[in-house]
Amino acid sequence: MTQGRAGGYRILHEAALRDYLAGLPDLAAALGGQPAAWSITEVGDGNLNLVFIVKGARGGIAVKQALPYVRLVGESWPLPLSRAHYEYLALSRQAELAPGLVPALLHHNEVLALTVMELLQPHIIMRKGLIAATHYPRFVEDITTFMARTLFFTSDLALAAADKKEAIAAFAGNHALCKITEDLIFTDPYRVAEQNRWTAPYLDALAASLREDMELHVAISRLKLKFMASPEALLHGDLHTGSIMVTDSETRVIDPEFAFYGPMGFDVGAVIANLLMAYFASAGHERTPGERRSFEVWVLETVERVWSEFERKFLELWRTEAAGDAYPATLFVGEKGAVWLEAERQAYMQRLFADTVGFAAAKIIRRIFGLAHNIDFELIEDPQRRAISEARAVRLARAMMVETGTFRTIADVTGAARKFRDWQPELSG
Amino acid sequence: MTQGRAGGYRILHEAALRDYLAGLPDLAAALGGQPAAWSITEVGDGNLNLVFIVKGARGGIAVKQALPYVRLVGESWPLPLSRAHYEYLALSRQAELAPGLVPALLHHNEVLALTVMELLQPHIIMRKGLIAATHYPRFVEDITTFMARTLFFTSDLALAAADKKEAIAAFAGNHALCKITEDLIFTDPYRVAEQNRWTAPYLDALAASLREDMELHVAISRLKLKFMASPEALLHGDLHTGSIMVTDSETRVIDPEFAFYGPMGFDVGAVIANLLMAYFASAGHERTPGERRSFEVWVLETVERVWSEFERKFLELWRTEAAGDAYPATLFVGEKGAVWLEAERQAYMQRLFADTVGFAAAKIIRRIFGLAHNIDFELIEDPQRRAISEARAVRLARAMMVETGTFRTIADVTGAARKFRDWQPELSG
């Protein structure tokens, strides 16, 4: 497979892509009209790939092609094309498990590391909507269904152990993408690293304090080990609000190229972290004090409901669809068995919640001190206001990472967020 | 590979084996003399395979061939020949990591699922020596070196994450052997299962109480999930005293066909469990009261030293050979970093100790109520005396499994064992 790719791979820019699509009758028919008349626009704003929107007389499609390097950095940072294979594999599995919550797959070419999907319109990247203070009434329902179903049905609670082991092995080759996470989320923000950046000079002292904070280094290292060696379920692996496209009435999760078998809390924590960052960034986007208050109330409610609905749906699947080798039903028969198993389900969710809190914290800190930032904060033009929002988020994140056990419920998380909303940090510079 | 096997596999009984070995010049030369004069004896007393000792004029070899079914049960329980591949893979890795502590590999035939190894003589199966109350002065030194090195060097503490993921995948196909463990150790002893047996009628009530003990079922299910989904290191996977061959001055670990990436505590717990069973069985082998007292003292000292030496060696490797992606050195620089990392190492070992205690308990219970028993107990002829020894072991094991946290040090384990040594259980019947 790798050889085939090395042999036939070429980057398809506009003209080559037009010819390629014209040669695929189903896609050409879906686009409609003459190929020469199709509009082709490169829209990739992610860090890794080319993304084209192609529109014809009848309809549109989205085309994603992996580049053999990290787009954000350039050819000096090579990255295997095989990630397109894993993304396709994950997307196929997610489509089975959470129908309607990922884009429809239309075509995949392994050699070109290229996938064609339905064009999501009028969907926008959720992060952009959050910056504009938009409420998304469908979001909790959809994202919790996506997470509960994709995580539960790929776990030992739903799968026979043999199938689970083979599934882990099927994604083991995606380690270059895992390595990005291991470095950029779990290591670099806590040490001197060339690619780190932060809102200087205001956060200089905070950045330095994180590099010296050994209690935090132990906590992030435990999380890193858990990320590397706890294949609980098939993760999306990069489930931030830039990987979610939304309208008022629809939600689609995109871009699972970081997919692998890892700890469930990493996905759930990613969603919660990005909502918390939207919350802390909100103050920085205010033009008049309090104008985004109802949005901020909605975001924290959403954090609470993301956890509580995820937990409710996951537990319900466990009660009704447990066909896996873990917690065998034959060990929990009768009324007494049911009571003990239900108590254990609650204990399991409590452990998963602790993981979620820890991973959420890691996702926040990397966006403020690491390589890849997010526009929630970046679009706050005044760097001092940005730094204030960021410092508040970091204060919460540090507590979540080193005092994880004190966050017993999701209300403890949102309560702490509310408390730090108006906290005035001391800035450097 | 599978196809090749299906194509060419045949069971080599004496005559066919003689011809096969005669066709391998190096082995034939090592045996010496005429092939017709070689003595060939089938000695397999394990549950799964054929094992031949072949002796010629010059020397001897051991030949192990996997059968396509579980020997203990028969052709009605098929088992993939691929286990010979994983055994060979594990043995090769163990030979690199713990030289001199596994038999030398002389030949492997993937199609025949056949491996030729050095003949271990005058080594005997350690379990038999323990039943005869023999002390093994080299044992602690050797087994702790074996465990510390094979577990450390295949863990995230020593490997890059990419190599670790590929190593996990390389063993993922050995799931049929894992399934045996999942069923026979982690499930069947706790429910009605046709293959269960115990010393009836004396342990009937105890067997029934285990089937009703929901606190225990939760504990064993947590251990099962950890066994299935915690690929910490390359395990031997079946490290009991029947998989260890010894003399006064040598130790060899054999039979790693259950090898896979799992939780380290499973291997360490296996060794400790089997020593504890030797201890509790000892009273049943007494002909005069107290005649095995010095052996019993030695066994419990050995339990203590197995943990303490394993811990010491593992920690020393971590301090000096940590080249893996976990706990990156750059996050723990300077004196303060060193202090925090060392504290975390101790905390890590404490978590590993808790796993060890739990898995040891699981290994004890399965030998008393499950399919595969061990001769430590089985050779106690008087079933009532046997039941008394077994009930004492079970009493300790239940405490270790459901009150794991109360066993903070290995002395807590041996102290409890000593306490139950003369406890008089109530027997059924």
Side-chain angles (χ1 to χ4, degrees), chain A residues 229-243:
Chain A
S230 297
E232 295 174 353
L234 178 59
L235 304 191
H236 177 282
D238 195 27
L239 194 51
H240 54 75
T241 48
S243 296

Side-chain angles (χ1 to χ4, degrees), chain B residues 11-60:
Chain B
I11 297 173
L12 295 189
H13 291 297
E14 188 188 320
L17 179 61
R18 191 182 304 275
D19 291 347
Y20 179 77
L21 296 172
L24 299 168
D26 287 356
L27 289 181
L31 286 164
Q34 288 305 308
W38 296 340
S39 77
I40 300 187
T41 318
E42 210 281 313
V43 298
D45 63 351
N47 300 328
L48 303 179
N49 308 290
L50 290 174
V51 181
F52 294 92
I53 289 179
V54 185
K55 290 184 177 170
R58 182 170 302 137

Side-chain angles (χ1 to χ4, degrees), chain B residues 227-272:
Chain B
F227 179 82
M228 295 193 296
S230 298
E232 295 174 354
L234 177 59
L235 305 191
H236 178 282
D238 195 27
L239 195 49
H240 54 74
T241 46
S243 297
I244 301 170
M245 296 195 71
V246 284
T247 67
D248 266 8
S249 58
E250 287 198 348
T251 311
R252 294 283 196 289
V253 176
I254 63 171
D255 289 350
E257 65 207 314
F258 284 83
F260 81 115
Y261 273 74
M264 301 183 191
F266 188 75
D267 269 5
V268 188
V271 171
I272 285 173

Side-chain angles (χ1 to χ4, degrees), chain A residues 104-143:
Chain A
L105 275 166
L106 304 176
H107 173 75
H108 177 68
N109 184 317
E110 193 84 8
V111 171
L112 293 176
L114 177 146
T115 302
V116 182
M117 289 162 281
E118 69 170 313
L119 179 61
L120 297 174
Q121 57 178 9
H123 304 67
I124 66 163
I125 293 288
M126 185 180 182
R127 196 187 297 287
K128 294 180 183 170
L130 296 178
I131 292 167
T134 313
H135 300 212
Y136 289 101
R138 282 293 303 177
F139 174 68
V140 168
E141 172 67 12
D142 288 344
I143 199 69

Side-chain angles (χ1 to χ4, degrees), chain A residues 97-98 101 126 137-153 239 244 251-253 267-268 271-272 275 301-317 349:
Chain A
L97 295 174
L101 297 176
M126 185 180 182
R138 282 293 303 177
F139 174 68
V140 168
E141 172 67 12
D142 288 344
I143 199 69
T144 57
T145 295
F146 176 84
M147 293 194 297
R149 293 185 61 86
T150 60
L151 297 177
F152 176 82
F153 284 110
L239 194 51
I244 300 169
T251 311
R252 293 282 196 288
V253 175
D267 269 6
V268 188
V271 172
I272 286 173
L275 292 169
E301 273 176 17
T302 300
V303 168
E304 292 171 2
R305 291 179 56 226
V306 162
W307 173 260
S308 62
E309 281 297 288
F310 165 73
E311 182 182 45
R312 187 184 67 74
K313 290 176 183 178
F314 191 95
L315 283 169
E316 195 53 27
L317 289 170
M349 296 312 288

Side-chain angles (χ1 to χ4, degrees), chain B residues 25-26 61 75 139 160 188 238 277 286 308 317 324 358 379 381 414:
Chain B
D26 287 356
I61 57 176
E75 298 192 23
F139 175 67
D188 285 352
D238 195 27
M277 284 190 278
E286 271 182 346
S308 62
L317 289 170
L379 290 183
E381 277 182 30
T414 52

